[in-house]
Structures are given as structure tokens and as C-alpha cells.
Amino acid sequence: MLNFIIKTHRKDTIYTKPHLFVLNKGMNSGKPQKTPFTNSFVIIFSNEEDCESLFFIAYSLWQTKFWHQYLVGSVISFLRLPDFKKQFNPQASLMMVEHEQHQKNVAALKLLEKKEKQFHENINIINDLRRVILYRYCKR
């Protein structure tokens, strides 16, 4: 079983143990990230493997809009810490029941993330080349 602590992130706090941040305000509530958000929860782990593993679980929950049902607020929606704590641990446990399948899913997500980054880099290169060709064409 994974051991982790979930609490509200405070600005300028330095965490020595492996950790990840989860956005708690707006329609992107539940979005995990390695760097801190202004409005976020922090999940602190005892080791890096657990952090990496739960990052992809948090990412999956965010992508499937799991947290939308727990958002409150009329103007700017937000996710409450007690709701997050109450739902995150059971969902993480449920998703990790089949550990081997979980490892395969994490590997596939990492590969897709790498390919997406390469794709965006290629798009940027194409746009730069297009700009250079158009610039040369207009300079004549």
C-alpha cells in the first residue's frame, strides 16, 4: 500500500521528500504537475517510485474529468481538500489493484508523452522554416 500525505501547498514552502502538486481551483482542478501551482494541494511521498506511479494515476483522473463532480463554487469552481483526500486514496488503490497492468499503462503513457513532445517540437521547427522561407520570399 502506498503511503503519502496530502495537504494544502503554501507558497515558498520547500519539500525535501518526493512530491507532486495537484491544482485545486478552476475547471482544471485535479491536474497534477511537478512544479507548484498557486492554488494547489501537495502530495508528499516517502520514495520516488510511489510519486511517479501516483502522478500517472492523478493524471488519468484529471484527464477523465473525475474531479468535476466534486467541484464547488458558483463563479470560480474549486476542489475541497477533504473531498480530494476522501476520493483520491480509494481511486488510487482501485487503479493499482492490478499492479502489472498499472505498470504497462504507466509505460504507455510515458511513451505517448514523449511522442507528443517530439510532435510539438516538429511543429515548431516546421513553423520556423515556414517563417524563414516567407521572409526570404518577401525580401526579394
Side-chain angles (χ1 to χ4, degrees):
M1 191 69 214
L2 298 173
N3 291 327
F4 52 85
I5 300 168
I6 302 173
K7 59 185 183 178
T8 303
H9 169 63
R10 305 227 186 285
K11 186 180 177 191
D12 299 327
T13 304
I14 306 294
Y15 302 100
T16 56
K17 292 186 176 184
H19 58 278
L20 64 96
F21 299 93
V22 177
L23 184 65
N24 66 1
K25 241 181 201 160
M27 293 308 289
N28 270 330
S29 291
K31 181 179 181 180
Q33 189 168 291
K34 300 288 184 181
T35 56
F37 293 105
T38 302
N39 299 300
S40 64
F41 303 132
V42 62
I43 307 174
I44 304 169
F45 302 92
S46 55
N47 60 50
E48 190 63 41
E49 296 80 33
D50 290 348
C51 182
E52 187 72 20
S53 185
L54 272 187
F55 175 83
F56 285 101
I57 288 175
Y59 181 78
S60 300
L61 291 173
W62 170 66
Q63 282 289 358
T64 58
K65 299 185 186 326
F66 174 80
W67 299 111
H68 280 210
Q69 60 189 328
Y70 300 102
L71 295 178
V72 294
S74 59
V75 177
I76 297 175
S77 54
F78 64 95
L79 184 60
R80 292 185 177 132
L81 182 60
D83 293 339
F84 184 77
K85 283 182 177 181
K86 183 178 176 184
Q87 297 301 321
F88 186 73
N89 196 10
Q91 280 300 122
S93 298
L94 182 67
M95 293 173 81
M96 289 191 66
V97 166
E98 187 62 44
H99 188 69
E100 196 171 302
Q101 183 62 40
H102 170 71
Q103 295 296 343
K104 288 179 184 177
N105 289 341
V106 167
L109 287 170
K110 284 181 183 179
L111 180 63
L112 287 172
E113 192 175 297
K114 180 181 174 185
K115 292 294 182 184
E116 182 182 22
K117 185 178 177 187
Q118 289 173 345
F119 175 75
H120 286 295
E121 288 172 358
N122 288 342
I123 291 292
N124 289 337
I125 290 170
I126 289 170
N127 286 335
D128 290 345
L129 289 173
R130 180 181 294 127
R131 212 172 297 119
V132 166
I133 291 170
L134 289 172
Y135 183 76
R136 283 186 195 161
Y137 181 68
C138 291
K139 279 300 223 181
R140 287 185 181 184

